[in-house]
Amino acid sequence: MSRRDDEVINHGAIVQGFWFEIPKHFPNIQLGEFVVMPNHIHGILVLDNNVETLHCNVSTDTDDTNKSKFHQRISPKSGSISAIIRSYKAICTKHIQAIFPDKSFGWQERFWDHIIRDERSLGTIAEYIVGNPSKWDQDKFYDR
C-alpha cells in the first residue's frame, strides 16, 4: 500500500467516525447508507419534518449594514441540512489537520444534495452508494 493510500484510509476512518456521530448532535437526523470513497463520500440523511433544506442566495447589495443583515437572514439555520454538513465538515477537518498537520486536506466548497421522495428512489440511491466502491475504477474522478 502506498503512503497516499494510507492517508486516504486514515482520513476516511476519521470522516466515517464523525458521520456516525451526527445523530448524537442532531437528534432530528437518522442515518441511511454511507460510504467513504478515495476522494468523496456518499451518505443519506433521513430527516424528520422539522429540518430546513434550502439556503442558497446571492447578494448584490453593496451596503455593509444591509449585507450583514442579508447574510444573517440566509445563513444556514441551526439544525438545517447546511448547518449539519458545515458542522460535519468542520469537525472532520479539525481532527484530520490536527493528526496530519503536514498533509493537505480539504473539502469541495459545496455539497450535492437530492431529496429522496419515495421508497423506490431510496432503494435505488442506497444501492448506488453500497455498490459505488466496486466501480471506483470507472469513476470520472478515478486518479490512479
Side-chain angles (χ1 to χ4, degrees):
M1 198 174 332
S2 73
R3 188 176 172 122
R4 183 174 180 275
D5 289 337
D6 285 342
E7 290 172 21
V8 168
I9 290 168
N10 290 327
H11 292 166
I14 293 168
V15 166
Q16 182 172 335
F18 281 113
W19 179 262
F20 293 109
E21 293 289 316
I22 290 173
K24 293 178 183 176
H25 303 278
F26 300 95
N28 55 340
I29 298 293
Q30 295 177 12
L31 301 176
E33 297 296 338
F34 175 77
V35 68
V36 177
M37 299 295 291
N39 65 356
H40 64 282
I41 63 172
H42 294 284
I44 296 174
L45 298 175
V46 181
L47 320 174
D48 73 12
N49 292 331
N50 298 319
V51 177
E52 293 188 40
T53 58
L54 180 62
H55 292 289
C56 182
N57 293 314
V58 177
S59 174
T60 56
D61 194 337
T62 56
D63 177 19
D64 286 342
T65 303
N66 287 337
K67 266 188 190 180
S68 178
K69 288 178 184 176
F70 175 81
H71 288 289
Q72 287 175 359
R73 195 174 71 246
I74 68 163
S75 291
K77 307 298 185 264
S78 178
S80 70
I81 295 299
S82 295
I84 292 165
I85 298 301
R86 182 182 59 196
S87 297
Y88 170 71
K89 287 179 164 183
I91 194 67
C92 291
T93 301
K94 178 181 176 181
H95 283 283
I96 290 169
Q97 289 177 344
I99 295 168
F100 305 100
D102 298 334
K103 303 297 177 200
S104 172
F105 176 82
W107 296 94
Q108 66 185 35
E109 288 183 20
R110 306 208 185 279
F111 63 93
W112 185 83
D113 62 343
H114 173 80
I115 297 173
I116 301 171
R117 300 192 183 276
D118 56 47
E119 289 295 321
R120 187 171 145 240
S121 293
L122 176 61
T124 300
I125 293 168
E127 185 177 305
Y128 170 81
I129 290 171
V130 170
N132 201 245
S134 67
K135 299 175 185 167
W136 173 238
D137 61 344
Q138 301 165 28
D139 192 283
K140 67 181 178 181
F141 298 111
Y142 181 76
D143 62 354
R144 301 249 172 198

